[in-house]
Every structure is written in C-alpha cells, then in structure tokens.
Amino acid sequence: MILTVTLNTALDVTHHVPKLLPHTSHRVTAVSERPGGKGLNVARVLAALGHEVTATGFAGGRTGAVVRELLSGTARLTDALVPCAGTTRRTLAVVDEASGDTTQFNEPGPQIGSAEWAAFLGRYQDLLAGAAAVALCGSLPPGVPVGAYAVLVRAARAAGVPVLLDTSGEALRRGVAARPEMIKPNAAELAELTGSREPLQATRDARRRGAHAVVTSLGPGGLLAATPQGTWQAAPPRALTGNPTGAGDSAVAGLLSALTEGLDWPARLTRAVALSAATVHAPTAGDFDPRTYEEVRGSVKLTAC
C-alpha cells in the first residue's frame, strides 16, 4: 500500500469558459468537481495505475463530506481522512478555452486545533505500519505547526518507509532537513529554498541540505533529477497545450509508483514525465489521458547532466 498525506484537502471545482476576460461576466460551458489537494491528486493517479492507495489528512464540514463521497467511488483507494471541525477548502480553476490557460483560486483551509493534529499523528503512525512508501504533499492548513512535515518525515524514516515530500516555503526548508528519500519542488520553490535560480546548481544544493534525491519540475522542460545514481533531465518530445493543473502531482505519482516497483532512475523519470504530460491533456487534476501517456512514455528525451 502507498500512503498519501494531504493535510490541506480541497474540493477542486473547474469551470471552462470560451475566453477569460477581466471585468466581465462569463458563460460557463462545463463544470466539474473532484477531490483535491496535491496528495489526493497523487492518490487518484496511483489508483488508476493499479496501486492500492490509502489517503489521509483532514476533512471537515459540508465540503469535506463531498470530498469523501467522491473518493468513495475510486477503486483501490481507501479513505483514512481524519475529521476536523472546520470546513475543507475549495479551489476554483477557470480554464480559458481560447488560450488553454488556467487561472487558479485557492482558499486557505480550515483551522486545525491541537487535539485534531494529535489525532492525525496517531492515525499516521498506525498507517505507516502497512505502507510501502509515503507521499507528503501540499500546503499546511492554519493551525498545523510549520515543522509538521519534518515530524512526518522523521516518523516515516523511523518506520523504514521511504518518503517523498512535495511542498514549499518554510515547510519545505524544515522538511528537507529531516532527510526525506525525495523532494519534488518546482523551479520557483527550489530557488526559494536554495537562493539559486540556476536549476542544476539549485537541485544539487538541495541534496546537500538533506534530501536523498531531488527532482525539480521545469514545466514544459520536464524534470531535472539529482540522485545518488546520477543526474538527468527528462523532457517530453514536444510542448503540450492543455490544462497543466495537477501535472506535478502526476509526476509525484509516477516517481512513487516506480520506486515501489523497484525501477531505476531513468525509468522513474520516464514514467513521471509521461504521466505529467498526459495530465495536461486530461480535463481535471488527478486524471491523465492514457493515449498521451503511452505516446510520451515511448519518446521521453533523457539526458545525463
């Protein structure tokens, strides 16, 4: 079983409009709702790949109830979310069909009390006993300690479970010092962590700060990975247009699934890039287009650095 942690779960609402223009009214052509938050997106992709997944984190209020109801229809995914008194946040993505661009609005999330955090820690510790790997993903809701991911990384390492961390800011800085198996920042998050805007230098510097391996998202440029076995850039064969929301989460799912299957780093990166590209061609985060996945997987450009 692969365990995903989404402390700041969400209900992702996606609107499609013919063209997004400021200061005007818009006629929405399509609406969708999905369980959201980075870790839940990762969980849904892992389940679609055939892995057994358990998703934990917080869920509360009417929005949290909708998230849990939607999760209940996902095969191979077990809901282990911890109830909270506050209401789970919503995110709103507006897709401009004319340009293919997406505009995102993210609510902050519910206030988490100390008793709720303690309840989550107990649930997490129990779930580690059956986990082959852990993904710690996304922002921290109000009330959760800024060093929360460092605590969760150390607990996973003590249990002998490899952990991938995908967050940003101070939560990333503290989490990487706890020595996770992998981190997966984007280029801006990596620059904030290391102070360097040169991706290769910054990726290697992040390894020196504690991560066993660092995989950096370069957007259309694919992934840059510094690992104990070498450094590579993996890129799709061509630029893809579509909705990029969730592409990074699909890359996390690719990396984590390949890790648990014992694949080497080139194979991990190939899968991650293909899933990320296939998500750009999917209507919502947490999904991927199977045809694009197979096409890109066979033609990923892998370069040693």
Side-chain angles (χ1 to χ4, degrees), residues 166-193:
D166 183 13
T167 188
S168 60
E170 185 65 13
L172 175 60
R173 189 184 70 79
R174 297 197 187 195
V176 74
R179 304 187 65 80
E181 180 74 16
M182 279 184 275
I183 63 171
K184 196 218 65 66
N186 61 35
E189 292 162 349
L190 188 67
E192 182 182 8
L193 173 68

Side-chain angles (χ1 to χ4, degrees), residues 2 42 45-46 49 51 132-133 162 164 181-182 215 223 250-273 275 293 297:
I2 298 176
V42 171
V45 173
L46 286 168
L49 290 171
H51 288 268
L164 187 155
E181 180 74 16
M182 279 184 275
V215 182
L223 299 172
S250 292
V252 169
L255 293 168
L256 211 57
S257 63
L259 168 67
T260 61
E261 294 170 25
L263 302 184
D264 62 15
W265 270 104
R268 295 182 200 181
L269 294 169
T270 295
R271 179 180 293 181
V273 167
L275 281 171
Y293 172 59
R297 187 171 63 164

Side-chain angles (χ1 to χ4, degrees), residues 52-293:
E52 295 295 325
V53 186
T54 297
T56 191
F58 292 105
R62 294 176 61 186
T63 310
V66 174
V67 167
R68 302 189 80 160
E69 180 182 356
L70 292 171
L71 282 177
S72 67
T74 306
R76 294 179 291 275
L77 194 155
T78 299
D79 174 0
L81 294 168
V82 175
C84 63
T87 298
T88 295
R89 68 190 177 123
R90 296 163 299 173
T91 70
L92 176 62
V94 181
V95 179
D96 182 331
E97 294 176 336
S99 67
D101 292 336
T102 300
T103 301
Q104 191 88 11
F105 300 89
N106 296 327
E107 296 178 357
Q111 181 76 30
I112 302 299
S114 57
E116 292 168 334
W117 175 238
F120 168 80
L121 288 176
R123 176 71 61 86
Y124 177 73
Q125 195 68 53
D126 291 342
L127 291 169
L128 283 175
V134 179
L136 306 176
C137 302
S139 61
L140 301 178
V144 170
V146 70
Y149 282 135
V151 172
L152 301 183
V153 169
R154 286 193 289 266
R157 292 186 67 237
V161 180
V163 56
L164 187 155
L165 176 62
D166 183 13
T167 188
S168 60
E170 185 65 13
L172 175 60
R173 189 184 70 79
R174 297 197 187 195
V176 74
R179 304 187 65 80
E181 180 74 16
M182 279 184 275
I183 63 171
K184 196 218 65 66
N186 61 35
E189 292 162 349
L190 188 67
E192 182 182 8
L193 173 68
T194 65
S196 173
R197 295 197 172 276
E198 199 290 305
L200 183 57
Q201 177 183 333
T203 299
R204 288 172 171 162
D205 182 53
R207 277 201 72 210
R208 289 191 290 271
R209 291 170 182 257
H212 193 62
V214 178
V215 182
T216 303
S217 294
L218 301 177
L223 299 172
L224 178 64
T227 81
Q229 284 73 49
T231 302
W232 295 272
Q233 182 171 350
R238 66 182 190 282
L240 299 171
T241 59
N243 180 4
T245 306
D249 304 332
S250 292
V252 169
L255 293 168
L256 211 57
S257 63
L259 168 67
T260 61
E261 294 170 25
L263 302 184
D264 62 15
W265 270 104
R268 295 182 200 181
L269 294 169
T270 295
R271 179 180 293 181
V273 167
L275 281 171
S276 181
T279 297
V280 173
H281 277 184
T284 57
D287 295 327
F288 64 92
D289 178 65
R291 181 177 299 179
T292 303
Y293 172 59

